[in-house]
Amino acid sequence: MSASTDQALAAFRVKQVAVLGAGVMGAQIAAHLVNVGVPVLLFDLAAKEGDAAGKNGIALRAIENLKKLKPAPLGLADDASLITPANYDEHLDKLGACDLVIEAIAERMDWKLALYERIAAHVSPQAILASNTSGLSITKLSEGLPEALRPRFCGIHFFNPPRYMALVELIATPSTQPTILDDLETFCTTALGKSVVRAKDTPNFIANRIGIAGMLATMKQAEAFGLSYDVVDDLTGKKLGRASSGTFRTADVVGLDTMAHVIKTLQDNLSDATDPFYGNFGTPAVLKTLIDKGYLGQKAKAGFFKKVGRDILRFDAANGDYVPGGDKADEVYARMLKKPAAERLRLLRESEGPQGQFLWAILRDSFHYAAVSLADVADTARDIDQAMRWGFGMAQGPFELWQEAGWLQVARWVQEDIAAGRALCKAPLPAWVFEGPVARAHGGAGGVHTPEGSWNPSTGRFEPPRVLPVHARQWFREGVFGFGAQRFESAGRTLHEDASIRLWTLDEQVLIASIKTKMHAISPEVAEGLQLGVDTAERSFQGMVIWSGDEPFSAGADLQAMLPAFMAVGVSAIDEAEHHLQQTMLRIRYAHVPVVSAIRGLALGGGCELAVHCARRVAHMESYIGLVEVGVGLVPGAGGLAYIARRAAEAGARSTHKDLLPFLTEGFTAAAMAKVGTSALESRQLGYLLESDVIVAHKDELLHVALSQVRAMADAGWRPPQRKRFAVAGRSGRATILGQLVNMRDGGFISAHDFHIASLIAGVVTGGEVDAGTQVTEEYLMALERQAFCALVQHPKTQERILGMLNTGKPLRN
């Protein structure tokens, strides 16, 4: 990245943020700011006289509640204490020290305007003021601000839950300075890890406008075709390339009252004249019934679905009560949905069964609404597709699927349904769908996305994506189908490639190793490729980055690849394979150039072992790291236990404490209980990431940062660690651990086989049958690992666990 890019990124520096409003969204936005290391003040009304928590009572209770929410808004629950509570009576002067003020109070125009009047004089002249609203007019809100503050005001719409949802919509007013949105997009991208879409100031902006219209259409079509909520969710979840929660479960998660509010925004601010689908925006009767009963979804523990023990019940609108759920879609439609896009849509359109007709209807409705709404809600078709991906968890936006299936053919099908009265709305598709540049695109195949850019009906042009300096950090910025952005699989210069791994470079300075196996599992061939990568990097490059492009980093060693050798040769084949894997880890650890792992998603078992043996780790915030071999009845066998013992010895050497056991306990427990860090922050707490490792907020910046780390380490004269002996806790340490394990087994907390596995782990991490303080090598401990691993492979209960995992993908407890 150039010096000018660095300067541009540094131009707007956010040292502190104030969040106004400690409700569900405000508190969770504050939590995410803490996750990424941004100091934050959380404001709310002053508590009433006599509140035991003082005037900050409302904010304090909201902060405390963050620890209880699921999914967890905080990477570490204890970090709630880093949020500073504040109230409007006593602390408005603190706003002057904030570079960004995010208003997130209830969706009431009058309340928001009253708050702006109260805070305006206290906001720094350099600060950005942004309203987190899901649909109120940003322009109308700006009219309540002093003239001097209007150029620094805009809308910022986070999606719930803010930690996990990628989308942030930014909305300008006619008075907003363009640089304000550029600065805010840069901050949201790099600091918060968000994917930004700029929306027009229209009711519910882009994602909620298109998404809620789609949910209402889905509910209407489900009723028309007589389908139950669980069948609809099965059809509209992963099978359809959408969020696994489907339609009705998504409504429960969002909150039925929140959904009703968004619907009301559409009802109050649109009309037949401004939206041809307006007649479909009525509140569904079942939604009103559920809200009247107080069944508001997940937060009320009842909505369209209700969990009772292990059973999932669904609401039955006919009798007003819950009935057993769990119905699934017909398998024939699951098979249809796996077909190529053109064949898939043809089969659904020609289907005679209600489930197939329903699927075609909701897809047709989504294409229809996206087309007639595009000019009003967004600048380009790309903005709608990316908003639906990032805000509603779709694999493809509506325009992408339409284009992939054959633009003009699908358009004719949709128009035929409109003419026949089968569609939800009589409005025809816009003329640009059938004629002009869109129809001529891709050699006459048609489409709204081209290599030049995406269609903007207002300008009549294909417009390229906006490019800010921050985007230079994204080597492979997420694009849309038809844009033709280069994929990482074919980028750069390839030095070696086979079915398991690709070794390549983008800059001729750093080698990149990309694993190609399913789930990026580490097979013997992958291990061979990684060793070749180290050899190549030592010979011709400054270092190596292990980055495989998408999730996961690695789900672990490839057990399935080991089974044929085990069946043919016996346990000696397993011992040989594990030894080779261990040697690969040591080759990486002691390489003469820095090897950096770029971790995104799962790094489990062997994937965790690969990561911890690298010189440094660069991890995406949502990385899930752990040694999970216990789940298949094994122990970590590629150096994971040796790593735990070595790290304990290193920590002990820095302490005046002579007993190694306190430093070993956490690492042993993590491995024996298969603990997984549920964020990069928690993984650091478990010891799988170090303080010197780097946590990156945006997934698409991971490669840039990892490459930068290698170059910086090389520039600093990096040398591999020296091979040293280190002390172990010995047989006395093992005896202490076994005593605790006996209590857990006898108390019924772990099974006999779990006890056996944990005993073997204890034997390895304490160094086996040696005295406390004995100095050992990594190779010695790895030999103990292999011995334990091979013994377990032959155990019938472990074999049951391995086969259970391979067959079902779920751990078996026996």
Side-chain angles (χ1 to χ4, degrees):
M1 191 169 65
S2 67
S4 61
T5 302
D6 284 324
Q7 290 165 1
L9 290 178
F12 176 65
R13 198 176 293 280
V14 177
K15 298 180 286 296
Q16 184 170 248
V17 175
V19 176
L20 312 182
V24 174
M25 282 300 289
Q28 291 197 67
I29 291 168
H32 188 59
L33 287 161
V34 163
N35 288 338
V36 297
V38 178
V40 59
L41 305 173
L42 181 60
F43 278 81
D44 211 296
L45 297 169
K48 293 180 180 178
E49 198 72 35
D51 192 308
K55 283 200 170 184
N56 287 336
I58 296 173
L60 281 167
R61 282 188 287 276
I63 292 168
E64 188 62 26
N65 189 54
L66 288 169
K67 301 176 185 178
K68 306 170 189 173
L69 294 180
K70 297 293 179 186
L74 289 158
L76 290 174
D78 289 346
D79 281 352
S81 63
L82 299 177
I83 301 172
T84 302
N87 67 80
Y88 303 126
D89 285 1
E90 298 177 312
H91 303 126
L92 288 181
D93 59 310
K94 295 187 177 186
L95 292 176
C98 296
D99 306 290
L100 173 62
V101 178
I102 300 173
E103 171 270 303
I105 68 169
E107 294 282 273
R108 284 269 303 263
M109 179 76 70
D110 54 342
W111 290 0
K112 288 178 185 283
L113 292 175
L115 180 61
Y116 296 170
E117 185 177 351
R118 192 172 184 184
I119 67 168
H122 300 277
V123 176
S124 163
Q126 288 76 42
I128 295 174
L129 173 62
S131 175
N132 179 66
T133 173
S134 61
L136 294 179
S137 170
I138 302 302
T139 300
K140 286 183 180 177
L141 286 171
S142 73
E143 291 167 359
L145 292 168
E147 289 285 346
L149 192 48
R150 292 181 190 179
R152 293 179 283 114
F153 176 75
C154 64
I156 182 170
H157 181 206
F158 288 86
F159 276 67
N160 191 24
R163 171 183 164 186
Y164 301 96
M165 296 303 293
L167 181 62
V168 164
E169 292 176 318
L170 297 183
I171 309 97
T173 75
S175 303
T176 307
Q177 287 179 357
T179 55
I180 292 297
L181 257 61
D182 290 350
D183 287 342
L184 198 50
E185 179 168 348
T186 297
F187 173 72
C188 288
T189 301
T190 289
L192 302 186
K194 298 303 172 190
S195 297
V196 174
V197 168
R198 297 195 188 182
K200 292 185 178 181
D201 190 10
T202 53
N204 289 345
F205 313 127
I206 297 176
N208 275 346
R209 176 77 168 270
I210 303 295
I212 294 300
M215 291 179 76
L216 287 171
T218 300
M219 291 178 180
K220 197 163 189 172
Q221 298 290 12
E223 185 176 358
F225 287 101
L227 303 182
S228 64
Y229 307 140
D230 38 13
V231 168
V232 169
D233 277 2
D234 192 37
L235 287 169
T236 60
K238 284 188 175 180
K239 290 183 173 74
L240 198 60
R242 298 183 178 180
S244 58
S245 51
T247 300
F248 293 98
R249 176 64 182 147
T250 295
D252 277 353
V253 171
V254 168
L256 303 191
D257 53 340
T258 302
M259 184 176 175
H261 172 80
V262 177
I263 294 170
K264 191 172 188 306
T265 302
L266 295 177
Q267 294 167 349
D268 292 348
N269 295 282
L270 294 171
S271 65
D272 288 320
T274 56
D275 191 312
F277 275 70
Y278 183 73
N280 297 291
F281 294 158
T283 304
V286 65
L287 185 64
K288 186 177 186 307
T289 297
L290 288 166
I291 292 172
D292 289 346
K293 288 176 175 286
Y295 300 158
L296 304 181
Q298 182 173 275
K299 59 189 172 188
K301 303 190 186 309
F304 286 105
F305 298 98
K306 177 181 180 181
K307 189 172 183 181
V308 178
R310 294 187 177 181
D311 297 325
I312 303 294
L313 308 181
R314 62 174 169 82
F315 187 73
D316 186 329
N319 64 23
D321 205 353
Y322 288 89
V323 298
D327 290 347
K328 297 292 184 183
D330 293 343
E331 185 58 33
V332 64
Y333 299 107
R335 292 197 294 272
M336 281 186 192
L337 291 172
K338 291 178 181 177
K339 301 285 186 183
E343 185 180 0
R344 183 190 326 155
L345 264 59
R346 179 184 61 79
L347 288 170
L348 292 174
R349 188 170 188 268
E350 295 172 355
S351 171
E352 296 182 359
Q355 294 180 21
Q357 293 174 355
F358 161 79
L359 284 169
W360 163 249
I362 65 170
L363 291 172
R364 176 202 63 216
D365 296 341
S366 72
F367 301 151
H368 190 187
Y369 191 67
V372 299
S373 302
L374 173 57
D376 292 331
V377 305
D379 288 330
T380 71
R382 177 181 55 254
D383 296 325
I384 284 183
D385 281 345
Q386 291 187 327
M388 297 313 295
R389 278 198 200 183
W390 298 331
F392 276 76
M394 292 185 176
Q396 287 182 305
F399 288 120
E400 291 181 285
L401 175 57
W402 181 351
Q403 182 167 327
E404 185 182 3
W407 180 265
L408 292 174
Q409 177 61 74
V410 173
R412 285 191 288 269
W413 287 341
V414 173
Q415 192 59 49
E416 285 173 14
D417 279 12
I418 296 169
R422 290 189 289 268
L424 287 180
C425 168
K426 295 178 181 178
L429 291 173
W432 56 258
V433 169
F434 295 100
E435 58 192 46
V438 169
R440 293 194 298 269
H442 299 285
V448 287
H449 302 306
T450 70
E452 294 77 39
S454 296
W455 181 247
N456 183 333
S458 300
T459 62
R461 295 196 304 267
F462 293 106
E463 296 186 358
R466 182 177 54 261
V467 177
L468 298 175
V470 67
H471 298 137
R473 298 166 60 89
Q474 300 178 2
W475 276 102
F476 302 100
R477 187 180 176 191
E478 191 172 337
V480 289
F481 178 86
F483 180 59
Q486 187 174 32
R487 291 278 302 168
F488 73 90
E489 293 94 339
S490 57
R493 180 171 70 91
T494 300
L495 287 90
H496 167 83
E497 187 167 13
D498 56 34
S500 300
I501 199 166
R502 180 185 179 218
L503 304 177
W504 57 293
T505 182
L506 277 168
D507 58 5
E508 301 297 333
Q509 294 179 305
V510 182
L511 185 70
I512 303 170
S514 295
I515 301 170
K516 296 169 56 180
T517 52
K518 184 179 180 181
M519 297 292 286
H520 302 144
I522 304 170
S523 64
E525 293 76 20
V526 169
E528 200 70 48
L530 290 170
Q531 292 207 39
L532 175 61
V534 173
D535 292 342
T536 305
E538 287 181 338
R539 188 168 56 248
S540 307
F541 294 89
Q542 292 183 343
M544 184 170 86
V545 167
I546 302 172
W547 176 82
S548 300
D550 49 14
E551 297 186 29
F553 174 72
S554 173
D558 190 347
L559 289 175
Q560 211 154 4
M562 294 183 184
L563 290 180
F566 174 58
M567 300 299 291
V569 180
V571 76
S572 62
I574 298 293
D575 183 82
E576 184 179 337
E578 285 299 298
H579 187 255
H580 182 242
L581 201 50
Q582 291 174 342
Q583 292 305 304
T584 300
M585 302 303 173
L586 292 176
R587 181 76 181 92
I588 288 169
R589 172 165 163 74
Y590 294 107
H592 292 287
V593 291
V595 179
V596 171
S597 53
I599 306 168
R600 177 182 163 201
L602 303 176
L604 303 179
C608 175
E609 290 169 309
L610 176 59
V612 300
H613 282 89
C614 290
R616 185 162 295 170
R617 287 138 295 278
V618 175
H620 179 234
M621 178 70 189
E622 296 305 323
S623 295
Y624 305 91
I625 308 174
L627 297 170
V628 296
E629 287 83 354
V630 169
V632 288
L634 294 169
V635 300
L641 299 183
Y643 167 81
I644 289 170
R646 174 173 59 78
R647 290 289 299 154
E650 290 168 350
R654 294 190 295 269
S655 169
T656 56
H657 206 294
K658 299 302 178 186
D659 184 6
L660 273 179
L661 207 54
F663 303 102
L664 191 61
T665 300
E666 189 165 8
F668 163 77
T669 302
M673 303 298 289
K675 282 188 180 181
V676 175
T678 56
S679 66
L681 298 173
E682 194 170 293
S683 297
R684 178 180 275 165
Q685 203 172 53
L686 291 174
Y688 299 131
L689 296 177
L690 308 181
E691 288 299 323
S692 56
D693 293 332
V694 181
I695 296 175
V696 175
H698 201 294
K699 62 181 177 57
D700 291 341
E701 295 189 357
L702 196 62
L703 180 59
H704 163 78
V705 176
L707 294 171
S708 300
Q709 288 291 309
V710 168
R711 288 192 290 265
M713 293 165 77
D715 287 348
W718 186 89
R719 299 286 299 174
Q722 293 181 321
R723 294 178 182 259
K724 293 181 181 178
R725 291 176 175 268
F726 49 88
V728 291
R731 62 174 68 88
S732 60
R734 177 174 179 271
T736 301
I737 294 173
L738 285 180
Q740 297 168 346
L741 291 174
V742 166
N743 291 336
M744 293 181 70
R745 181 196 62 195
D746 294 349
F749 296 104
I750 58 175
S751 69
H753 194 49
D754 287 329
F755 172 81
H756 177 56
I757 298 166
S759 301
L760 293 174
I761 292 173
V764 176
V765 297
T766 56
E769 289 299 320
V770 297
D771 294 333
T774 299
Q775 300 279 318
V776 302
T777 63
E778 287 167 294
E779 288 87 348
Y780 167 80
L781 289 175
M782 286 181 172
L784 294 181
E785 274 186 359
R786 290 200 309 280
Q787 183 180 338
F789 190 96
C790 291
L792 285 167
V793 165
Q794 300 173 85
H795 198 292
K797 287 193 176 293
T798 286
Q799 291 174 0
E800 287 175 9
R801 289 192 183 187
I802 292 173
L803 290 174
M805 178 63 76
L806 293 176
N807 290 331
T808 68
K810 297 178 181 178
L812 171 69
R813 285 295 175 201
N814 54 357

